[in-house]
Amino acid sequence: MTDQEIINALTAEGNEYFKALTIAGVNDNARMGRPFIIVSDDALPEIPVAMDISCSIMTVAGAMGTVGPGAAERIDKATEMGVENRLCASVKMGAYFLKAGILPVPDMVITTNSPCDAVDMLGQMMDNYPPWAKVPKFRLDAPHGQTDEDFVYFGAQLKEMVQAIEKATGKKLTMERFVEVAEESNRQASLIMDFQELTRAVPCPVDPDMARVGWELARWVAATDPSVFPKATGWLERLVDVTERKVKAKTGMDGVQEKIRFLWYDVSPSWGSKLFPRLRSELGAVCMKTYYSFHNYIPIDTTSMDSMLASVAKKYLMGTPMTRQAMHTADVFCDDIVRICKEDKCDAMIMPCHIGHRDTNAYQKLARDTCRANGIPFFFLGCDVWDERYMPADVVFDRLKTFFQSTGLA
Amino acid sequence: MSEENRSQVLKKFNDYAGKILNPSVENVKSADCRVVGYFCSFIPEELFIAAGLLPFRMRGTGSETTERADEYFTSCNCSFPRHCFNQALTGEFTFLDGLVVGTSCDATRYIYDNWKSSPIKTPFIYLLGYPHVSGVAMANYYRAELAKLKTALEEQFGARITDEKLRSAITLCNETRELQRQLYEMRKSASPPITGSEMVSVMVAGVSMPKDEYNADLKQLIEELEALPATNSTYAARLMVVGSCGDDDILSRLAEEQGALVVTDHTCFGGKLKYGAVDGAASDPLQALAEYQILTRPFCAKVGGAYQLRAKVILDAAKEFGVDGVLGQRLGCCDTWGGELYALKEDLKGAGIPSLMIEREYVPDSEGQLATRVQAFIETVRR
Ligand code: SF4
Ligand code: SF4
């Protein structure tokens, strides 16, 4: 197999796994014979994997519902519910799935206030959803602070959550298994860091977005089906291998004459396949990072159960994309911009400003000022990452092209 | 109460609610007392009062545009923080010696960073962690957060906040809540002596002036209202207003202009404030404050695990005050209240109480459309 064939195979494999995250996948997960939990947002895979339970994520199923055939009609139906027009469509879709009554009854529901008001609201809808009235519930309070006290506070809630899961499902979290999973999770995290480091080479050897794919496999897909967890490690190892080879050979991405490297400081849009490949092929402009392809190494400390829970808490609060950006003060948000642009040698920073992201919409000046102070060309878009109708991909392409030209980058 | 007979106290409250800087705040400032602004009702005023400070609840009263704030926030953020921040940028809050922002709704929380980076020069800016679940562990977390704020206030303002001072502040604020409840009780009658629109002013004034002065004014108002003859019983419908913020009387006023009467409410500047009491005898007054906000009164729509309580309080009030319908309001781009009102509408329907849920802007472009919707609703619930 050529390197490109390996990359294509990894992509295809990822896409196949992602089917488990769709609404159809949620219904399949419920039939897997394992205890089945629905969570409002990100699913802390270490705990469900170690307990061998299946966790489906409402916002992810919602986001998946905004793509594919009939997506626009689905988004419109979700909007008609009348919750909030400019509510993030992934959450709107999740709320719509509830209202439409198409979700299986889980063994347990876990909700959280992170990363944003929208998910907080969705969680409350799940908590009070009449058909799930008898289903055991657990609600997490993710703090906005970044101190050890905050991590211990959240870790203590995770401990309670484990007890609640044990009670609801009869499954046990053993120290031995938790350590095993935590060590593998650390290994996955370090592979993602290796990949992130390797993609900093000029020219960029492999689409950095593959870090998102690997992270989502190890986290979301593994949470729905724990048997994917070790497979995700293997997937990441193959990714790092091929990337290393390409760096040594100094070969860039297939068919790309790299001229511009930029940061897309938001979620990768569901319509990104119409934008990013075109930017690469027509302008040599490579997206080096999005929220989900940017990672920090926050290892799980396996010394004791409490240390594991506190470090899983820290990893959740400071290492989960979107939670990292939306839950904390602007210094985290702005420092990351500077750091990414420096480390990834970005020539520009694009602020997509998804309409549902109250954080980015409130941080536009701070981000602009940060970029100006650091000599980073800045461009504000204002799009909807889930609903392309708000600002079509070709309009985004044209606007970025004009921006790159006017700043002398293209 | 007709315009000419309107009580002096009511006029004063109306005046205070209609602007930001009022004579009582000016008096306090000239007496060398410091003023600290705060966002959201879960931040205990008692802590500021115990530090010898005047707490001032932030609002955007008088704002007509968000022009200057638009450089910081986009139109995809709620218009309440945008108007408040615009007022700050235009110098309306220069009298503040400090500002405490809570980690409440996203849009309001982000005022903290923007304020800090802006040219507004406020000597003390603090972000207070506020839990979003109602539970014992969360009350303990909030106590720890309040303890940090206490230390920061002591350091900044050279004050000592003793338990004794806290208890006396709790007594003062409990008295406010009790007096407000007495006023609300009077509205249960067939001929309420005060309109919903006037009541908004009463409540907003209460978070804009010293509590002892406010309590004295409230007592006087209650006496005056008790002495009034029962004349106000020919309204088209008795209504309740629920929803976010609510520092203006737009909805009540529009309803009352159409012949209805707003007899109670459950909003962040209104009826939510009068609920329950802080345990003034508790050995740890900080813990008592935290438990009151997280366990007794978890009324911020962001607080999970408490929706059923919030809905029950609203449904009970609707029955006790004999309302014919509920007007719900939320501001555009408010995600939490979007869900809250959606769920509430279902629950009200289940209880046989008609409701109209309205999305509006903090400063509406025109009131015409709102008025038409309110009028149409009143027609459906008319007595
Ligand atoms: S619901 Fe009320 S207390 Fe909560 S954030 Fe909104 S305005 Fe503040
Ligand atoms: S209306 Fe909603 S978003 Fe706006 S300030 Fe109040 S709670 Fe926050």
Side-chain angles (χ1 to χ4, degrees), chain A residues 352-389:
Chain A
C353 224
H354 171 47
I355 61 159
H357 281 163
R358 312 301 178 212
D359 56 336
T360 49
N361 280 280
Y363 283 166
Q364 49 151 347
K365 181 173 189 307
L366 288 163
R368 183 180 280 115
D369 290 351
T370 300
C371 287
R372 189 174 300 146
N374 288 278
I376 304 163
F378 172 95
F379 190 66
F380 178 91
L381 270 172
C383 62
D384 184 326
V385 296
W386 308 121
D387 189 351
E388 196 201 335
R389 291 170 298 175

Side-chain angles (χ1 to χ4, degrees), chain A residues 1-10 242 245-246 254:
Chain A
M1 259 191 175
T2 65
D3 286 347
Q4 192 52 45
E5 282 167 346
I6 294 171
I7 292 166
N8 292 345
L10 288 169
V242 69
R245 264 200 311 279
K246 291 198 73 183
D254 212 29

Side-chain angles (χ1 to χ4, degrees), chain A residues 165-383:
Chain A
I165 298 175
E166 289 180 339
K167 195 167 163 224
T169 67
K171 290 275 188 174
K172 287 272 167 264
L173 177 67
T174 65
M175 180 70 184
E176 202 185 2
R177 179 68 184 134
F178 197 17
V179 169
E180 228 172 69
V181 171
E183 282 169 351
E184 181 142 9
S185 177
N186 286 345
R187 164 99 184 111
Q188 292 170 344
S190 89
L191 284 164
I192 291 176
M193 298 312 290
D194 290 346
F195 174 73
Q196 189 162 264
E197 183 59 41
L198 288 163
T199 50
R200 290 183 181 134
V202 181
C204 180
V206 174
D207 184 356
D209 191 47
M210 295 293 270
R212 171 189 64 81
V213 178
W215 189 89
E216 290 177 1
L217 276 182
R219 201 161 177 101
W220 297 344
V221 181
T224 66
D225 177 358
S227 72
V228 175
F229 192 65
K231 293 178 193 161
T233 316
W235 188 96
L236 284 164
E237 281 166 347
R238 278 179 284 150
L239 178 69
V240 170
D241 267 358
V242 69
T243 311
E244 233 161 14
R245 264 200 311 279
K246 291 198 73 183
V247 170
K248 277 193 193 125
K250 292 193 169 51
T251 51
M253 292 165 65
D254 212 29
V256 179
Q257 284 293 327
E258 183 179 305
K259 286 197 198 105
I260 305 165
R261 296 157 75 101
F262 68 89
L263 162 62
W264 175 277
Y265 205 44
D266 209 306
V267 173
S268 181
S270 61
W271 36 270
S273 59
K274 293 188 202 167
L275 176 70
F276 295 128
R278 202 176 154 205
L279 284 168
R280 286 196 295 261
S281 62
E282 293 185 32
L283 303 175
V286 176
C287 176
M288 294 302 298
K289 284 279 178 291
T290 68
Y291 275 0
Y292 276 91
S293 54
F294 166 59
H295 296 279
N296 287 276
Y297 186 61
I298 300 168
I300 301 169
D301 172 358
T302 55
T303 319
S304 66
M305 185 58 100
D306 285 346
S307 74
M308 278 200 283
L309 290 168
S311 50
V312 165
K314 181 176 180 182
K315 186 173 169 176
Y316 180 91
L317 294 170
M318 300 308 296
T320 308
M322 285 208 287
T323 296
R324 180 175 174 87
Q325 287 86 15
M327 292 285 287
H328 305 291
T329 43
D331 42 356
V332 176
F333 188 84
C334 292
D335 290 353
D336 282 350
I337 294 175
V338 179
R339 205 180 107 201
I340 297 168
C341 287
K342 196 168 159 217
E343 288 175 348
D344 285 9
K345 304 168 199 75
C346 291
D347 304 297
M349 140 85 174
I350 311 299
M351 190 145 185
C353 224
H354 171 47
I355 61 159
H357 281 163
R358 312 301 178 212
D359 56 336
T360 49
N361 280 280
Y363 283 166
Q364 49 151 347
K365 181 173 189 307
L366 288 163
R368 183 180 280 115
D369 290 351
T370 300
C371 287
R372 189 174 300 146
N374 288 278
I376 304 163
F378 172 95
F379 190 66
F380 178 91
L381 270 172
C383 62

Side-chain angles (χ1 to χ4, degrees), chain B residues 154-221:
Chain B
E154 287 175 330
E155 279 169 11
Q156 174 70 22
F157 297 103
R160 266 216 0 102
I161 305 175
T162 60
D163 282 0
E164 202 185 319
K165 284 182 185 167
L166 269 175
R167 283 195 199 96
S168 108
I170 288 171
T171 305
L172 187 67
C173 293
N174 277 345
E175 189 191 5
T176 304
R177 289 184 264 266
E178 174 53 35
L179 290 166
Q180 288 172 334
R181 277 197 296 272
Q182 281 181 33
L183 256 182
Y184 271 77
E185 279 298 307
M186 296 167 94
R187 302 168 76 195
K188 286 182 179 169
S189 83
S191 175
I194 186 165
T195 66
S197 180
E198 287 167 334
M199 201 62 207
V200 172
S201 300
V202 174
M203 297 306 281
V204 172
V207 284
S208 320
M209 62 190 282
K211 279 283 175 295
D212 42 5
E213 181 187 342
Y214 178 67
N215 286 358
D217 287 344
L218 268 187
K219 281 180 201 156
Q220 192 188 326
L221 178 65

Side-chain angles (χ1 to χ4, degrees), chain B residues 40-42 104-105 245 268 300-301 337:
Chain B
C40 291
S41 52
F42 55 77
S104 52
C105 67
C245 299
C268 289
C300 172
W337 276 99

Side-chain angles (χ1 to χ4, degrees), chain B residues 21-43:
Chain B
L21 186 56
N22 63 57
S24 296
V25 173
E26 283 173 319
N27 286 344
V28 156
K29 288 290 285 187
S30 59
D32 233 16
C33 170
R34 264 79 55 91
V35 183
V36 176
Y38 68 98
F39 278 99
C40 291
S41 52
F42 55 77
I43 299 179

